[in-house]
Amino acid sequence: MSQDIPVTGYAILGLLTFGDELTGYEIKQRADITLRFYWVAPAMSQVYTELRRLTEHGLVRADARAEGGREVTSYAITGAGQAALRDWMEGTPAGFPVLKHTVLLRLLIGHATEPGTTRRMLDDYLDELDRARADLAAVREALRGADRPGEPFRFPSMVADWGLDYFAAETRHARRALASLDETGPRDDDAAD
Amino acid sequence: MSQDIPVTGYAILGLLTFGDELTGYEIKQRADITLRFYWVAPAMSQVYTELRRLTEHGLVRADARAEGGREVTSYAITGAGQAALRDWMEGTPAGFPVLKHTVLLRLLIGHATEPGTTRRMLDDYLDELDRARADLAAVREALRGADRPGEPFRFPSMVADWGLDYFAAETRHARRALASLDETGPRDDDAAD
DNA sequence: ACAGCCATGTAACTCGTTACATGATTAC
DNA sequence: GTAATCATGTAACGAGTTACATGGCTGT
């Protein structure tokens, strides 16, 4: 049933389960505000590639219409698509999240550079975290009113709350790391060792 | 100075800053217990590919010797390698972590499957989290005694503590999501909507 | 004797990216 | 009129994976 579709394909399929018919362009936009936090923000070209594959497998239906002078194609999930998605969700082992955390990677080898570099990196990270937090918080707010059990945005809301807590935790960790860096003293030439 | 080296290359370079000369095989092992949590556990073949590239760029020195009947090659970071690593750490913008979180992705579209599937997934995730936590805790313990400011494992310890807190937070989030799923009632056929 | 670990690599392949290309519609 | 946004693709490429291949050394 569900063969040869990469996870991003299922992610796109998932975006199409919220009711609307979407163009590739719109899927990219939705991905940028949702998937981006937990999976990836796929490139436009990747979205189109994936949509073609899904169409070939019969998991989505392409609905091409002429809108003014240009061809616009919307995509809707098919019955087979919903079945494939369900199969995937039931039949795939949880799989541990993969974290590509450049900040932690660079903190790990912090001894290979000056403390100031590491501090600057952590400060930058705090800024970016705050931006991400604000973006996600806006998304979360937009879901209010339809986030109770049985309502359409229940699961997206749960995920958004999870993500907001995650960002909050990351902020705490980065602050703690900064504080720990200061333990040596702002200029680290006396108390070391 | 630092051109054309993928992040995993710098990660390997970083592993070589802790003093030892390592074989490709040993690097893979170290990566599996450290990098795996914050970056990736590269495939063996990838480790060798990267080592060849680093050698070509003069960032590591390959030290081949005959050990019994077989050729064993150890790698050590060079001065140029340390400079390249420092350049990379100073000159690269922080870059937001990329999270490929299949569990969150599937929770996001939880409405597309039965509640039991989602519960099972979260239960599995809790198990895996506990295993990962135990693995990382063991690593953390091994660093004790050399984790103060100025000591060699200060930064690895900071990162391990960060990671342990992260796993703890994930555990809380998964439990909260499970609790929230139960809000509808263990069998969800009455109070929904 | 045989399994499991140590050690090194090649080949084929896939996901996903960046760069490039095109053109229509909308907002200022 | 012109910039931004909507919309769709192709081509080249790179990082990283799995599968395959080889062989010595070590413990039981």
Side-chain angles (χ1 to χ4, degrees):
Chain A
M1 293 278 141
S2 58
Q3 0 88 308
D4 280 357
I5 311 286
V7 180
T8 302
Y10 289 108
I12 289 174
L13 219 42
L15 288 180
L16 291 170
T17 59
F18 290 95
D20 324 277
E21 274 199 20
L22 301 173
T23 66
Y25 192 90
E26 288 167 331
I27 286 173
K28 165 67 174 160
Q29 290 180 313
R30 304 260 175 132
D32 281 347
I33 60 166
T34 53
L35 290 187
R36 136 167 167 238
F37 298 109
Y38 327 110
W39 187 246
V40 276
M44 277 292 355
S45 63
Q46 177 70 4
V47 171
Y48 288 114
T49 304
E50 223 54 65
L51 283 171
R52 176 144 36 86
R53 191 193 330 238
L54 292 171
T55 309
E56 279 162 11
H57 285 262
L59 307 184
V60 300
R61 184 172 21 81
D63 178 20
R65 66 190 181 287
E67 196 173 76
R70 63 181 156 174
E71 274 276 290
V72 175
T73 310
S74 297
Y75 296 87
I77 190 167
T78 63
Q82 289 180 325
L85 189 58
R86 218 161 32 237
D87 281 356
W88 176 69
M89 291 181 81
E90 280 165 21
T92 313
F96 207 69
V98 174
L99 189 54
K100 296 194 139 193
H101 203 308
T102 348
V103 173
L104 274 176
L105 175 60
R106 284 152 84 190
L107 185 57
L108 180 74
I109 46 180
H111 64 277
T113 187
E114 280 110 59
T117 304
T118 305
R119 284 209 189 85
R120 221 174 308 120
M121 173 187 74
L122 288 169
D123 282 333
D124 288 352
Y125 183 41
L126 282 169
D127 288 347
E128 290 190 62
L129 270 172
D130 202 56
R131 255 171 279 143
R133 203 219 68 245
D135 288 352
L136 185 52
V139 173
R140 176 63 185 97
E141 281 315 309
L143 302 175
R144 292 226 186 271
D147 53 359
R148 316 301 311 275
E151 291 179 329
F153 297 143
R154 179 189 195 191
F155 289 99
S157 301
M158 285 172 62
V159 172
D161 286 336
W162 184 318
L164 285 169
D165 264 22
Y166 165 63
F167 288 151
E170 284 288 289
T171 303
R172 284 198 304 277
H173 296 148
R175 292 224 181 90
R176 186 171 66 168
L178 274 170
S180 164
L181 279 178
D182 286 333
E183 262 176 41
T184 337
R187 306 167 353 270
D188 54 330
D189 27 27
D190 52 286
D193 185 346
Chain B
M1 290 282 143
S2 59
Q3 0 87 310
D4 280 357
I5 310 287
V7 181
T8 301
Y10 289 108
I12 289 175
L13 220 42
L15 288 180
L16 291 171
T17 59
F18 290 95
D20 325 275
E21 275 200 20
L22 300 174
T23 66
Y25 194 88
E26 287 168 331
I27 287 172
K28 164 66 174 160
Q29 289 181 314
R30 303 260 174 130
D32 281 347
I33 60 166
T34 53
L35 290 187
R36 135 164 167 240
F37 297 109
Y38 327 109
W39 186 244
V40 275
M44 279 289 356
S45 63
Q46 178 67 8
V47 171
Y48 289 114
T49 305
E50 223 54 66
L51 283 171
R52 176 143 36 85
R53 191 191 332 238
L54 292 171
T55 308
E56 278 161 13
H57 285 259
L59 307 184
V60 299
R61 184 172 21 82
D63 178 22
R65 68 190 179 287
E67 195 173 75
R70 61 181 158 177
E71 273 277 289
V72 174
T73 310
S74 296
Y75 296 86
I77 190 168
T78 62
Q82 288 180 327
L85 189 58
R86 218 162 30 237
D87 281 357
W88 175 69
M89 291 182 81
E90 279 166 22
T92 313
F96 207 70
V98 173
L99 190 53
K100 297 194 138 194
H101 204 308
T102 349
V103 172
L104 274 176
L105 174 60
R106 284 152 85 189
L107 184 57
L108 181 72
I109 48 180
H111 63 276
T113 188
E114 281 109 61
T117 305
T118 305
R119 283 206 190 86
R120 221 173 309 120
M121 173 187 75
L122 289 169
D123 283 333
D124 288 353
Y125 183 40
L126 282 170
D127 289 346
E128 290 191 63
L129 270 171
D130 202 56
R131 252 170 282 144
R133 203 219 68 245
D135 288 352
L136 185 52
V139 173
R140 176 63 185 96
E141 282 315 309
L143 302 175
R144 291 225 186 272
D147 53 359
R148 319 298 313 276
E151 292 179 329
F153 298 143
R154 178 189 195 188
F155 289 99
S157 300
M158 285 173 63
V159 172
D161 285 335
W162 185 317
L164 285 169
D165 263 22
Y166 165 63
F167 289 150
E170 284 288 288
T171 303
R172 284 198 305 276
H173 296 149
R175 292 225 179 90
R176 186 171 66 169
L178 273 170
S180 164
L181 279 177
D182 285 333
E183 264 176 41
T184 337
R187 304 161 2 264
D188 54 331
D189 27 24
D190 53 284
D193 190 336

